[in-house]
Amino acid sequence: MTAPTTTAPILRVDGDRLWRSLMELAEIGAYDDERTGLRGVNRLALTDADAAGRRLVIGWMREAGLTVRVDRMGNIYGRREGADPDARPVLTGSHIDSVATAGAFDGCLGVLGGIEVVRTLNDLGITTRRPLEVAVFTEEEGTRFGTDMLGSAVAAGRITLGRAHALTDRDGVALGAELTRTGFDGTACERLDPPHAYVECHIEQGPVLARAGVDIGVVTGVQGISWQEITLHGRAAHAGTTPTELRADAGLAAARIVTHLRAMVESGAYGELRATVGHMAVHPGLTNIVPARAELTVDLRNPDDAAMARAEEDLLSHVRALEGEQPGLTASVRRMARTAAVPFDEEVQKAVARAADDHGLAHVSLLSGAGHDAQEIAALCPTAMVFVRGEYDGISHNPREYSNPEACAHGVDVLATTLLRLAEPVPGAATDAVPRS
Ligand code: GLV
Ligand code: MN
Ligand code: MN
């Protein structure tokens, strides 16, 4: 793909309208977070809150003149036709499902930013040669059904529809059943025809842009992700009477995994490994009983696939060694999700960088620490991302997550200009820089 030239027009979106949409969507699934004293968002995939959010977004898509289709995975696409109906569309989007302790921006900026680009094109009467589509992907977070980037992975063909539908949440409810219950069991084919290109705007969720003092990140790719669920089976026993050497303490084994992971990271033997045990539960969970069972999840991230594979092997052999340390203790390991590092397309990265330059916005290139739908769609077409600066060191998956209105508008301006150039404005359309209202 050839990157569009610098002589192409720039497009400015209505930052106030974008902000109003972000704040309105954030009311759906809103809760009072006791720990921070802030208002957070809890909109796990395919819950009633997520369904309400989806309906709101579909309403906005229709108001913007988009033709909406929902596929069998619940992914939503809103399409703005181009002058050439046979041309492959330029795709943008992200997700609106959230973790249980979210802010207003993760994923939502990409979806509502895409809709804002369409509104702006409509306001200006701009026709593009290629169609433009805005996507909302199902269960990006993986918080509810245990596998992240699920909807986009199905759209890209990495995960089958059957496997995705069969995934269950912690209460045993299947994703397929929740699609039916919420009415998002669409009829469109879940396999996405390769778009011309995909560009996703997302908050950075880290400190790099703020520390560099720049507005925009040009994302070079996404690091590898490995999620595993480990269950340790010990033996319930009396806390006061059971001699230490007779215990099979599943809680102790779980704690040893947590500290081993930290030691692995600090050893430097696995490159830029990050390791997190985000869920841990011991059973029966009572003061005077040696834990009979412990469950924990391990989230590993690594930009280097070989180092990631070595870290996974180390973890596995540690778990096996734990089985020998206490009589009767056994362990089972289940892989929940695994993605390799994904580099983004250089020409689309250049297009994003050029758009930022043309808007007079400073930018840096950076690798994404978080997973994104873009890494799945990259298997189908040239792909890149625009990152937006966050406050408070870019904290995310936390109600404190915050990117200010200007930062959001800047990111979506860059998205808009990049999309317009990729979709090719039809000559004669009003395409000069438009002052923000
Ligand atoms: C997605 O938010 C991730 O876990 O990286
Ligand atoms: Mn996200
Ligand atoms: Mn997230």
Side-chain angles (χ1 to χ4, degrees), residues 3-282:
T5 63
T6 43
T7 54
I10 70 168
L11 197 61
R12 285 212 180 100
V13 300
D14 181 336
D16 293 338
R17 184 169 56 188
L18 170 68
W19 188 258
R20 283 196 301 276
S21 298
L22 280 164
M23 293 305 109
E24 193 174 335
L25 181 55
E27 284 303 311
I28 298 182
Y31 74 100
D32 293 317
D33 188 76
E34 280 180 16
R35 209 177 36 80
T36 57
L38 297 170
R39 201 116 162 100
V41 174
N42 179 356
R43 210 166 44 231
L44 295 189
L46 301 177
T47 54
D48 289 349
D50 183 38
R54 286 163 166 260
R55 287 191 292 272
L56 181 65
V57 167
I58 287 175
W60 283 335
M61 283 179 162
R62 292 204 168 116
E63 272 170 35
L66 298 179
T67 306
V68 175
R69 69 179 189 278
V70 181
D71 75 14
R72 294 188 291 184
M73 183 57 204
N75 296 317
I76 302 164
Y77 299 91
R79 179 178 173 99
R80 185 179 196 262
E81 286 303 339
D84 178 355
D86 298 327
R88 284 183 295 135
V90 173
L91 183 66
T92 188
S94 194
H95 61 99
I96 66 158
D97 68 295
S98 81
V99 297
T101 56
F105 304 90
D106 181 354
C108 303
L109 181 63
V111 171
L112 302 184
I115 294 173
E116 179 52 35
V117 172
V118 171
R119 289 168 175 160
T120 304
L121 293 172
N122 293 347
D123 290 347
L124 300 173
I126 296 175
T127 303
T128 53
R129 184 176 79 76
R130 294 183 178 280
L132 181 63
E133 292 196 357
V134 182
V136 183
F137 293 109
T138 300
E139 175 66 320
E140 188 273 350
E141 294 291 2
T143 310
R144 182 165 180 207
F145 296 100
T147 302
D148 51 356
M149 282 80 69
L150 191 59
S152 48
V154 170
R158 185 172 68 79
I159 295 179
T160 64
L161 184 68
R163 202 174 123 205
H165 279 191
L167 289 171
T168 52
D169 67 10
R170 288 215 165 99
D171 298 322
V173 180
L175 181 142
E178 284 296 80
L179 281 175
T180 309
R181 187 187 67 80
T182 55
F184 284 97
D185 52 343
T187 52
C189 177
E190 69 281 5
R191 293 292 296 273
L192 185 62
D193 285 336
H196 172 66
Y198 178 70
V199 188
E200 178 173 341
C201 181
H202 202 285
I203 52 165
E204 181 205 341
Q205 305 179 282
V208 176
L209 300 184
R211 288 184 187 171
V214 303
D215 296 292
I216 297 295
V218 180
V219 187
T220 57
V222 180
Q223 63 180 341
I225 304 175
S226 166
W227 284 5
Q228 332 227 16
E229 182 183 66
I230 303 176
T231 308
L232 299 150
H233 305 273
R235 198 170 44 247
H238 194 291
T241 59
T242 314
T244 301
E245 71 277 11
L246 293 185
R247 294 177 182 218
D249 184 340
L252 171 66
R256 301 252 292 119
I257 291 173
V258 176
T259 54
H260 183 75
L261 285 166
R262 176 53 78 96
M264 281 170 59
V265 169
E266 288 176 352
S267 73
Y270 303 102
E272 295 168 54
L273 175 69
R274 287 191 179 136
T276 305
V277 173
H279 168 77
M280 181 155 61
V282 291

